[in-house]
Amino acid sequence: MANPGTSAPPDLFEAETQALLTARAAHAVCACLAPSQCRQALGELLRAYERLLRETRRLVRRSDRAELEMNQLNSRLQDLAAELEHRATHDTLTGVLNRAAVIELVNRHFGHDDLSLIVLDIDHFKRINDSFGHPMGDRVILGVVACLQTVVPASAHIGRVGGEEFTVVLPRQSADVCEKLAEDLRRAIESCDFELPDGSGVTASFGVSWAPPGGDFDSAYGLADEALYVAKRGGRNQVCLSPCFLRSLEHEA
């Protein structure tokens, strides 16, 4: 029952309804009606039915357009959501994972897996920026990422955790595999021609850590970072392993 004071919605087919009622009434007493009255009632019914068909088709077309527009809007919203998620988790320059995404990824893997973390830092990067400008520095960063992407396995994840510092996340990989991978990455960068104006090359230093399930990013990163600085102090362009990683190698041996 409608609420008092509210008007009922208009009946789009009021004329057709009335024509149908008239035709029904004529049919009920057709024996008593003149042929002209029957014809008139039938003609009104035909006109009403034709209008009903036209209006129905118009409403169906409108509904189809509305459904198409809604589907297009939903698709666009999904694209925007995916784009926002990508921007929130990936580095703008390189397209690899950003620091927050790396932290979340590492902590998630530690919930059920052992994990190795390779941390690398481009050697003398400040000299590149100071001598050749930041655009050249960006080219070097992109070149280093390209080197990493050609070497790391599909199961690994590359992230940028600082200006010239990167990580490679390696879940469920043995210590010797990770050590070899770090060396392969170091050689790939060392042998790449970055086309610096003075013809010099680019190298990177590496630190590698390993931890069993139950660890966290801070501890794994701290150990790899300590090993990285050992590599820096030792002359750069080398791979150094954290003590726990060395123990895992000894255990595998």
Coordinates of all heavy atoms in Angstrom, one line a residue, residues 105 109 113-116 155-157 169-174 178:
L105 N 56.4 -8.2 1.0 CA 56.7 -9.5 0.3 C 57.6 -10.4 1.2 O 57.3 -11.6 1.4 CB 57.4 -9.3 -1.0 CG 57.8 -10.5 -1.8 CD1 56.6 -11.3 -2.3 CD2 58.7 -10.1 -3.0
H109 N 56.6 -14.1 2.9 CA 57.3 -15.3 2.6 C 57.8 -16.0 3.9 O 57.8 -17.2 4.0 CB 58.4 -15.1 1.6 CG 58.0 -15.1 0.2 ND1 57.4 -16.2 -0.4 CD2 58.0 -14.2 -0.8 CE1 57.1 -16.0 -1.7 NE2 57.4 -14.7 -1.9
D113 N 58.2 -19.8 4.5 CA 59.4 -20.3 3.7 C 60.7 -19.7 4.3 O 60.7 -18.7 5.0 CB 59.3 -19.7 2.3 CG 58.1 -20.3 1.5 OD1 57.9 -21.5 1.7 OD2 57.5 -19.6 0.7
D114 N 61.8 -20.4 4.0 CA 63.1 -19.8 4.2 C 63.3 -18.9 3.1 O 62.6 -18.9 2.0 CB 64.2 -20.9 4.3 CG 64.3 -21.6 3.0 OD1 63.3 -22.3 2.6 OD2 65.3 -21.5 2.4
L115 N 64.2 -17.9 3.3 CA 64.4 -16.9 2.3 C 65.8 -16.3 2.3 O 66.4 -16.1 3.3 CB 63.4 -15.8 2.6 CG 63.3 -14.6 1.6 CD1 61.9 -14.2 1.4 CD2 64.1 -13.4 2.1
S116 N 66.3 -16.1 1.1 CA 67.6 -15.4 0.9 C 67.3 -14.0 0.4 O 66.4 -13.8 -0.4 CB 68.5 -16.2 -0.1 OG 68.9 -17.4 0.5
S155 N 61.2 -17.1 -10.2 CA 60.7 -17.1 -8.8 C 61.3 -16.0 -7.9 O 60.8 -15.8 -6.8 CB 61.2 -18.5 -8.1 OG 62.6 -18.6 -8.2
A156 N 62.2 -15.2 -8.4 CA 62.8 -14.1 -7.7 C 62.0 -12.8 -7.9 O 61.3 -12.7 -8.9 CB 64.3 -13.9 -8.1
H157 N 62.2 -11.9 -7.0 CA 61.6 -10.6 -7.1 C 62.6 -9.5 -6.9 O 63.4 -9.5 -5.9 CB 60.5 -10.5 -6.0 CG 59.5 -11.6 -6.0 ND1 58.4 -11.6 -6.8 CD2 59.5 -12.7 -5.3 CE1 57.7 -12.7 -6.5 NE2 58.3 -13.4 -5.6
V169 N 64.8 -10.8 -3.9 CA 64.2 -11.7 -2.9 C 64.1 -13.1 -3.5 O 63.6 -13.3 -4.6 CB 62.8 -11.2 -2.6 CG1 62.2 -12.1 -1.5 CG2 62.9 -9.7 -2.1
L170 N 64.7 -14.1 -2.8 CA 64.8 -15.4 -3.3 C 64.2 -16.4 -2.3 O 64.9 -16.9 -1.4 CB 66.2 -15.8 -3.6 CG 66.9 -15.1 -4.7 CD1 68.4 -15.0 -4.5 CD2 66.5 -15.8 -6.0
P171 N 62.9 -16.7 -2.4 CA 62.3 -17.7 -1.4 C 62.7 -19.1 -1.9 O 62.8 -19.4 -3.1 CB 60.8 -17.4 -1.6 CG 60.6 -16.8 -2.9 CD 61.9 -16.1 -3.2
R172 N 62.8 -20.0 -0.9 CA 63.0 -21.4 -1.1 C 64.2 -21.7 -2.1 O 64.1 -22.5 -3.0 CB 61.7 -22.1 -1.6 CG 60.6 -21.9 -0.7 CD 59.3 -22.6 -1.2 NE 59.0 -22.2 -2.6 CZ 58.2 -21.1 -2.8 NH1 57.8 -20.4 -1.8 NH2 57.9 -20.8 -4.0
Q173 N 65.3 -21.0 -1.9 CA 66.5 -21.3 -2.7 C 67.6 -21.7 -1.8 O 67.8 -21.1 -0.7 CB 66.9 -20.1 -3.5 CG 65.9 -19.7 -4.6 CD 65.9 -20.7 -5.8 OE1 66.8 -21.5 -5.9 NE2 64.9 -20.6 -6.6
S174 N 68.4 -22.7 -2.3 CA 69.6 -23.1 -1.5 C 70.6 -22.0 -1.4 O 70.7 -21.1 -2.3 CB 70.2 -24.4 -2.0 OG 70.7 -24.1 -3.3
C178 N 72.0 -19.2 -4.3 CA 72.0 -17.7 -4.1 C 73.3 -17.1 -4.3 O 73.5 -16.0 -4.8 CB 71.4 -17.4 -2.7 SG 69.7 -17.9 -2.6

